[in-house]
Amino acid sequence: MRIEHIELRQIGLALKAPFQTSFGVARQRRILLVIVEGEGLTGYSECVAGEGPWYSSETVETARHILTDFLVPAILGKSVAEPSELTACFAPVRGHNMAKAALEMAGWDLLARAKGVSLAHFLGGTRERIESGVSIGIQPRVEDLLARIEGYLAQGYRRVKIKIQPGWDVDVVAEIRHHFPTIPLMLDANSAYTLADLPTFRELDNYDLMMIEQPLGYEDIIDHATLQRQLRTPICLDESIHSPEDGRKAIESGACRVINIKAGRVGGLYPARQLHDICQERGIPVWCGGMLETGIGRAHNVALSTLPNFRLPGDVSASDRYYAQEIITSPFRLSPDGTIPVPQGPGIGVEVDRAMLERLTLHKETFVGANHR
Ligand code: OSB
Ligand code: MG
């Protein structure tokens, strides 16, 4: 497959409701999409970098810079037969995993379409439906959180994750458990705590939680291992795992018993699958994280979640979870049993609504390979 044309397109979308985590509040999103063309086919992906460097050091602007000046030139006009070749082309660039992943994932979509197979099948996935969980941000009041949980459970979601931060933790969890004693419940701290908060974690340990996600530093492994030794509740790492090797080291040092896999965080679907395999070989279950994706990023997450060691419901919720407007023509819907069907068409298996895309576009840049108009 010759990479003939690459487009970087930024769209603006309003969240249905503000999404608050320990690192900030999102209301309005600016999202960078990557559209790759070759041999009459088109591949799509979504960069998960945020507007500001709060979840990780990358932003929409750093991703745009790295893509424009380094990653696009590394593959434009070249022939690519396998996705692993993209990973190899990007390897000289240190860091910037979200920028790399965006282009790599568009490449996977394009190559799957060229083979006429679904992305899930191309990845080696084994599921036709994926189990869906929901992530709920910090709310103004506990009553608001309880109402939201009730609403999502009624829709069928199989697992509830709530965001926590100092001051919004033990009391909130106690209140949830009072109203919902047995729901599969987990917490995500997004690195808001330190080992000095051990007493808080000891209390949280009593609430039958599925796991606590990323309690400590965003690049830490050592302190997480210290914390995990003192808790029954499994620790799940998100921010700290930037590569398959990070996963191996975290598991070997006892820093976690579960890993959240986001292709954007580890540099693409190829490294995401390697991380999945490393976890599987070591008996560590994984689940697919989310980054408030539109239908395009969601489609990639659904495909990734079909790999066999995605054994826990992920943060891959229905398309209507975050946005009123949709950029794919058949949005992902939750079945009453709390699963989402995996699209079977070629590539990501969903069609992009080009008219809607145009309407939402804030900025667009295109790159054309040599010997091609
Ligand atoms: O830590 O998993 C996270 C959203 C933005 C940044 C980081 C995270 C999240 C979520 C939402 O938890 C997951 C989703 O897309 O539903
Ligand atoms: Mg997280």
Side-chain angles (χ1 to χ4, degrees), residues 23 55 135 161 163 186-191 213-214 236-239 260 262 265 287 289-291 315:
F23 59 79
Y55 166 83
S135 174
K161 155 170 147 183
K163 296 290 190 179
M186 58 171 289
L187 315 179
D188 187 357
N190 289 110
S191 298
E213 184 179 347
Q214 197 68 35
C236 169
L237 289 180
D238 174 357
E239 282 90 330
N260 161 339
K262 293 174 180 168
R265 199 189 63 227
W287 54 274
M291 294 289 282
D315 282 347

